């Protein structure tokens, strides 16, 4: 059997027929949930996946507020670029120290950048 590829046009999404709309509108929340769980192409996410996604959005938001690319953000705040990428893509979960550091960057990015420029004193 040959594979057929179809590209969706985001500015012109396919329309549902009136019959399909009526069928979907008649579904109960339980039926919707059962159909979603039965779909092999779209399995429900786990709690861990949800947490990683939530953290990924937070990290992206903090970085976006600085206006820096992933690479520039990583250099400026001395974060491993690969680790930052993996966290932003939801592939790994940072520890609480990393999240606390990002919270400080979120509120005081210039202060963090200044502190990191100062030489270490012992």
């Amino acid at each position: 059997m040959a594979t057929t590829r179809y590209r969706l046009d985001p500015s012109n999404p396919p329309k549902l027929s009136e019959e399909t709309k009526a069928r979907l509108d008649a579904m109960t929340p339980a039926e919707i949930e059962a159909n979603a769980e039965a779909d092999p192409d779209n399995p429900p996410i786990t709690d861990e996946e949800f947490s990683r996604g939530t953290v990924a959005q937070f990290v992206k938001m903090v970085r976006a507020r600085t206006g820096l690319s992933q690479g520039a953000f990583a250099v400026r705040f001395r974060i491993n670029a690969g680790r930052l990428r993996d966290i932003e893509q939801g592939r790994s979960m940072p520890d609480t120290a990393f999240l606390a550091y990002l919270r400080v960057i979120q509120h005081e990015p210039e202060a963090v950048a200044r502190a990191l420029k100062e030489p270490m004193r012992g």
Side-chain angles (χ1 to χ4, degrees), residues 59-74 76-77 88 105-106 109-110:
V59 175
K60 288 179 196 177
M61 183 269 305
V62 170
R63 183 176 59 78
R65 288 175 111 187
T66 67
L68 299 172
S69 66
Q70 279 184 344
F73 186 87
R76 183 170 193 185
F77 296 110
E88 281 195 13
I105 293 170
Q106 177 185 20
E110 297 306 320

Side-chain angles (χ1 to χ4, degrees), residues 37-65:
E37 289 176 358
D39 184 351
D41 294 327
N42 190 27
I45 64 171
T46 64
D47 290 343
E48 180 186 345
E49 291 168 330
F50 182 78
S51 293
R52 285 195 320 256
T54 302
V55 168
Q57 290 302 314
F58 169 70
V59 175
K60 288 179 196 177
M61 183 269 305
V62 170
R63 183 176 59 78
R65 288 175 111 187

Side-chain angles (χ1 to χ4, degrees), residues 4-21:
T4 303
R5 297 196 184 268
Y6 178 76
R7 285 205 175 214
L8 292 176
D9 178 1
S11 61
N12 187 22
K15 308 281 189 275
L16 296 176
S17 69
E18 291 302 319
E19 180 183 308
T20 301
K21 284 181 190 177

